[in-house]
Amino acid sequence: MKLIRLKADGFGVLRGEYRFAADRLNLVMDRNERGKTSLLHAIVAGLYGLDGDGRRHRNGQTPLDRWRPWDGGTYRVELDVESEGETYTIIRDFGRGTTQVWNGRAQDVTPEFLTDRDEYSAGQTLLGLDADEFTKCAFWRQGELADVVPDQEKDRRASTLRARLESAADTRSGDASAIEAIAALDSALARVPCPELGSEISVDHTLKRLELKRDELGIEIHSLEDRHRAVSGSLEQIARLGEQAQALRSRMRAIDARRVALRTEDARRRLDRDAERMGLIERLRGEAASLEPAAGVSPDAESALKAQVAALRDANARREGRGRDRAPLAEEVAAMDARLAAWADVAACSAEDAQQLGGRADMLRHLGQDEARLIAERE
């Protein structure tokens, strides 16, 4: 079984998420009272739960009471493990007394981990070990190194690290000396690869360099925080100005769309008016073509024709009154005939025709003026 992730929503002083490398040793280091022991017990509690029966503990404080969050908040852990190619997520809410186990396919498999004691124990089901055996095999605390590291150098060289660890972890035959462990650990700790430093040096030097790098990063973080606080006001102002600019751009787009719509509507009205005027022009041109035979008529033909008709009437009246005295009037009649001959083209026209011709002439003058004005507007 491999530990993948632990999320503590409240377990003693522990809060946060922790991930474990399955292909290497996981070393937990920090100052006192920062939650190292709480982390180990949280893993065991996730696998096996916490005993809350006060009858099993003489001092009256059960493990359930011991690891209750100090701040009185949520009391809950979530543990991800991998076993035989399957991933499990174990969720224990100690405040509510509930346990859930989900596999990697998001299926609830909690009933599969129910033991004979009516308890849900993932560690017992997956490993076949109880909580004490698992703790003995899985973790070595700082004060327990003496169990696997003999004081004498010759004892440490007497056996391999694996043999000493197996002997120390054997809970059924009792604790045994693990002499070879310290030699192997010293060899392993002599040169430790550190990707953060890009080197492979001893643990002591690695820790010192990491502490220096941590201090440098802390100083850099404080500097960045100061810079962030210094520019936070400007950033907020820039954000507000950006929002205002966005609003103005939206308004400008709306105004542009409105202006285009108005221009389109005005152009459509102009086109409709021009089409109406062109229709009127075509009608006037047709009417002008029908009046083309009378194009040579003088504009004052109506008044002249009326005058000649009146003169003709007077002449006829005088001729009738002077029927017996035609000789003196012969020259006048001849003059009148000559003048009438000049108006032979309109001799057949009546007075009404003369009036109509005068009206048509006036209309032609107006049409010519309108046509010239329309052509000037279109240009």
Side-chain angles (χ1 to χ4, degrees), residues 109-128:
V109 293
T110 307
E112 298 179 9
F113 297 90
L114 184 63
T115 63
D116 296 337
R117 299 173 58 184
D118 292 335
E119 297 176 349
Y120 294 101
S121 177
Q124 185 72 38
T125 303
L126 298 176
L127 300 173

Side-chain angles (χ1 to χ4, degrees), residues 16 18 42 53 57 109 118 123 144 203 221 244 259 292 328 347 355 376:
Y18 307 87
D53 190 354
H57 305 276
V109 293
D118 292 335
E144 297 174 346
V203 173
I221 290 172
Q244 294 176 3
R259 182 169 60 250
E292 188 174 0
Q355 293 178 356

Side-chain angles (χ1 to χ4, degrees), residues 48-123:
Y48 295 94
L50 292 175
D51 187 6
D53 190 354
R55 295 172 296 180
R56 302 176 187 175
H57 305 276
R58 296 181 179 180
N59 58 2
Q61 186 182 32
T62 65
L64 184 65
D65 296 330
R66 177 186 177 186
W67 300 109
R68 193 174 299 279
W70 296 1
D71 57 5
T74 308
Y75 191 7
R76 183 177 180 272
V77 296
E78 182 176 323
L79 181 66
D80 292 346
V81 299
E82 180 182 343
S83 178
E84 298 181 356
E86 182 66 89
T87 302
Y88 298 96
T89 299
I90 307 165
I91 304 173
R92 293 186 184 270
D93 192 330
F94 301 109
R96 299 181 179 181
T98 60
T99 301
Q100 290 180 313
V101 183
W102 301 82
N103 62 15
R105 297 179 298 279
Q107 297 173 334
D108 188 356
V109 293
T110 307
E112 298 179 9
F113 297 90
L114 184 63
T115 63
D116 296 337
R117 299 173 58 184
D118 292 335
E119 297 176 349
Y120 294 101
S121 177

Side-chain angles (χ1 to χ4, degrees), residues 235-250:
L235 292 176
E236 293 177 357
Q237 185 177 3
I238 291 173
R240 289 194 300 269
L241 292 176
E243 294 176 355
Q244 294 176 3
Q246 184 66 26
L248 290 175
R249 282 193 291 269
S250 299

Side-chain angles (χ1 to χ4, degrees), residues 29 189-194 197 199-213:
M29 302 183 63
L189 296 177
R191 300 192 68 81
V192 178
C194 183
L197 299 175
S199 62
E200 186 174 335
I201 55 179
S202 64
V203 173
D204 293 338
H205 289 83
T206 300
L207 292 177
K208 291 179 180 178
R209 291 190 181 183
L210 288 175
E211 288 177 353
L212 291 175
K213 190 171 184 179

Side-chain angles (χ1 to χ4, degrees), residues 308-326:
Q308 292 299 325
V309 170
L312 181 60
R313 288 175 180 174
D314 292 339
N316 289 333
R318 285 194 301 271
R319 186 177 56 183
E320 291 176 358
R322 299 176 183 178
R324 292 175 300 178
D325 192 9
R326 294 183 178 178

Side-chain angles (χ1 to χ4, degrees), residues 211-270:
E211 288 177 353
L212 291 175
K213 190 171 184 179
R214 181 192 61 188
D215 295 338
E216 293 175 357
L217 291 176
I219 295 173
E220 185 176 356
I221 290 172
H222 289 308
S223 176
L224 292 175
E225 289 177 348
D226 294 337
R227 292 177 60 186
H228 180 269
R229 284 192 294 269
V231 302
S232 60
S234 300
L235 292 176
E236 293 177 357
Q237 185 177 3
I238 291 173
R240 289 194 300 269
L241 292 176
E243 294 176 355
Q244 294 176 3
Q246 184 66 26
L248 290 175
R249 282 193 291 269
S250 299
R251 292 183 59 188
M252 290 177 63
R253 286 194 294 269
I255 292 172
D256 290 339
R258 178 60 178 170
R259 182 169 60 250
V260 170
L262 291 175
R263 293 179 63 182
T264 302
E265 183 178 357
D266 182 65
R268 187 178 295 109
R269 286 197 304 267
R270 289 175 177 270

